[in-house]
Amino acid sequence: MADWQRSGPEDVYDAQQIEQRLQEELPAWHLDNGWIRRKYKTSGWQGALMVANTVGHLAEAAFHHPELTVSYGFVTVRLMTHSAKGVTNKDFELARMIEQVVMWQPGKAPGARAGTPDDPRFKYIEYDAET
């Protein structure tokens, strides 16, 4: 069992532990000055608002509040547990949920949902190449 698997919800990770977990679990996220950070590229203001609102809903449901930068073509999400003054399991759990929901592509999974058409008129987010 890895050390992080024995950690409590507010045990703070050091930089090396954070980097290792990000590499293994959330490769699109990065350690940035004590926060874990992810930039989601969008096709414009509407897409940026959709991402920001999605993150806001997930964060509020988890009662864990990220720092957001919302701009015309991107949303940057930064997570750190304020009460613990560092990155904890709470941050990794919320980051995984944000990643799962924001990067969901129904057309690439089995099921009835075809997903957003591959047409610039309907594009609102830039999906990672590997997803």
Side-chain angles (χ1 to χ4, degrees), residues 53-110:
N53 285 326
T54 300
V55 171
H57 166 72
L58 295 171
E60 193 60 29
F63 201 65
H64 190 57
H65 305 101
E67 298 283 328
L68 298 178
T69 301
V70 182
S71 186
Y72 178 83
F74 67 88
V75 175
T76 301
V77 180
R78 294 187 328 146
L79 294 169
M80 178 196 45
T81 303
H82 301 299
S83 58
K85 297 179 176 57
V87 176
T88 70
N89 281 329
K90 290 180 177 183
D91 303 297
F92 283 102
E93 288 178 14
L94 183 54
R96 276 193 304 275
M97 182 57 64
I98 292 168
E99 192 73 5
Q100 179 182 354
V101 174
V102 171
M103 298 309 289
W104 179 47
Q105 295 183 65
K108 292 200 173 186

